Amino acid sequence: MTSYLTSRVLQAIITIIGISIVVFALSRLSGDAAALLIPPDASERDRLALREQLGLDKPIIVQYALFLKGALSFDFGNSFRFGKPALDVYMERFPATLQLAFVASLISAGVGVLIGVYSAVKSGGLTDRAANLVALMGQAIPSFAISILMIVILAVEFRLLPTSGMGDWTSFIMPAIALSWYSLASLTRMTRSSMHDVLDTEYVRLARLKGLPERTVIWKHAFRNAMLPILTLFSLQLVFFISGSVIVESIFAWPGVGQLSIQAIQARDYPLVQAIVFLSSVLLVALNLGVDVLYGFIDPRIRLS
Amino acid sequence: MTQLSLDAGTPVSISSRIRTLLKRWPVGSIAILIVLLVLGVFAPFLEPHNPDTPQIMKAHRPPVFLGGTWDYVLGTDDLGRDNLSRLISGARISLLVGFAVVLGAGSIGTVLALLAGYFGGIVDIIISRMTEVFVAVPFLLVAIAVVGAVGASTTNLVLTLIFMTWAGYARVLRAEVLRLRELEFVKLAKVAGCSNMRILFHHILPNIVNPLVILATLQLGATIVIEASLNFLGLGVPAPQATWGGMLAAGKNYIGFQDSLVIIPAIAIFLVVLSINLLGDWLRLRLDPRFRQL
């Protein structure tokens, strides 16, 4: 268990360093950052002074070291657009994103697992067909297309739900469905195939022979063993909640980090872009690490090896 | 990543109904993809009107099935541009970006997987760690940040997507190479005095073609979705070039007034990606059931 954990933590650190390089490169890819900040008719002396102040006159490796030092203490400098630390701007928007992601992950894990399990148990039945449809639709319709179709049907034609913004619980429905859309489909698919494999095994047949109630057989004997691949997939899906929020939030005008990231990129607000990309990536790495640790608890084969 | 469910020996136990359905040729998918290919390749000859020239006087015409004229079968958009022509022009872009990205990322990923899996040691460590980094980042967020930084253009879009997607291939194929490396025929080739290059490209590469083809097919669908997403956000191919994502973004402003502007490109994306995914699923069952979880 210890060596397993050590290797996961080590990988997480390497990943964060890798991400910091990509994030650092972002601001340098776009050319001279100083040119963005001062008017084109500024004097050469002002320009040099600003470059020095931003640390742009130092060798690239020193610049990176300074950036990394700042990033590790979550200091990305002031947002150009908001005029306050990028971290503060990020934290202001984060709760809205977190709430939406939470509701969406409940939908995809809850509904996906439920449909998946029942479609595997009653193979060929109505639920199975529904699961098949969900899986196919989820992978073929991008989240922005389903968002717009929902707006057309639910908000504009039938006027059941608000079109955008964050308000009472009804405003969560469409964005949460859109955000969970893709992951719901693949979780359904994975749960079904994983349950199929498990239901075929000797110990499930034995449990049935013993006369255990079907519900105990399914949830206690079969599902527990089918859970690992489902959990693996769910941890891989966390990335879709972060990536997806960029699109879903900008469609539904959701006041979260996803919408902020588009605004920051369009405004070339690099400190803010860097803060968002770095913090979201670190969050993702931490979540994945958490799932890896969870594995150890669920699967004795990992814990004891 | 632990792979407890992917034991090579376990029989596929997906319901037989789906199996028989997929073992047959996916005729519908192939038909749709052939239409797409023809439209994409011959786009300039098939477009009934110029897809990019605005004709304000002809703006917002409805499609023919909603009372429009056969002159503009799918109607016109807010600038009076023919929707059918823009759809065809967008198909060309989607195909171009999709194939370029899959080809680029697939080649890079395959070569790195071969090197990492075959040579092992420090080469493997470096490549594997890099792969893990790219698998772990919030892909779309980094992609839009990169495109935003380098500027939106078709070339930049393709390069960014290659940069962000090669790791998926490298990760899966490396595991395959690791397995193959231990097999008799590779050891025999070594004893027979084959060079490393020859073993890699003549003995191992042909044996990872199956998973590569499956991966590439599924990635093509995913790439078209991502390309559409970036264009939807206005961070892909610059205007006035028509793209499906761009059409959706523009049509969004006319929901409730001319719904067909968003529904038509949404259906186009849906049909194409669905067809590619069905083809990928079919290939997967046909070529190698072990990869059904890719």
Side-chain angles (χ1 to χ4, degrees), chain A residues 11 14-15 19 26 29-30 123 136 139-142 144 148 152 156-157 189-190 196-197 200 228-229 232 236 239 242-243 246-247 250-251 261-262 265-266 268 270 277 280-281 284 295 299 302, chain B residues 1-2 4-5 13 15 17-18 129 132-133 136-142 144-146 148-150 171 225 228-229 232-233 248 252 255-256 259 262-263 269-270 273-274 277-278 281 284 292-293:
Chain A
Q11 179 59 50
I14 295 172
T15 306
I19 290 163
L26 275 181
L29 280 174
S30 54
S123 188
L136 282 177
Q139 288 180 323
I141 311 185
F144 62 88
I148 285 184
V152 169
V156 176
E157 298 298 334
R189 208 175 140 121
M190 174 61 90
H196 259 298
D197 290 347
D200 260 1
L228 265 186
T232 308
L236 290 174
V239 68
I242 293 181
S243 291
V246 176
I247 291 171
S250 53
I251 293 176
S261 63
I262 298 288
I265 288 163
Q266 278 163 353
R268 298 186 160 259
Y270 285 106
V277 175
S280 303
S281 307
L284 187 65
Y295 269 142
D299 192 344
I302 294 173
Chain B
M1 198 53 63
T2 40
L4 297 163
S5 60
S13 49
S15 79
R17 198 174 57 79
I18 301 170
R129 293 307 91 144
E132 293 278 326
V133 171
V137 297
F139 167 80
L140 191 69
L141 189 56
V142 178
I144 57 171
V146 173
V150 295
R171 187 154 92 145
V225 170
S229 306
F232 178 78
L233 294 170
L248 260 170
K252 189 177 61 157
I255 292 177
D259 290 347
V262 291
I263 291 175
I269 296 170
F270 170 66
V273 178
L274 180 71
N277 285 348
L278 285 176
D281 283 346
R284 180 156 52 183
R292 72 175 188 279
Q293 283 163 352

Side-chain angles (χ1 to χ4, degrees), chain A residues 236-288:
Chain A
L236 290 174
Q237 301 274 310
L238 289 171
V239 68
F240 290 107
F241 289 113
I242 293 181
S243 291
S245 71
V246 176
I247 291 171
V248 171
E249 286 182 11
S250 53
I251 293 176
F252 290 101
W254 195 262
V257 176
Q259 192 196 33
L260 182 69
S261 63
I262 298 288
Q263 293 166 347
I265 288 163
Q266 278 163 353
R268 298 186 160 259
D269 188 345
Y270 285 106
L272 193 52
V273 173
Q274 289 182 323
I276 293 171
V277 175
F278 187 77
L279 292 172
S280 303
S281 307
V282 169
L283 180 70
L284 187 65
V285 171
L287 284 171
N288 281 330

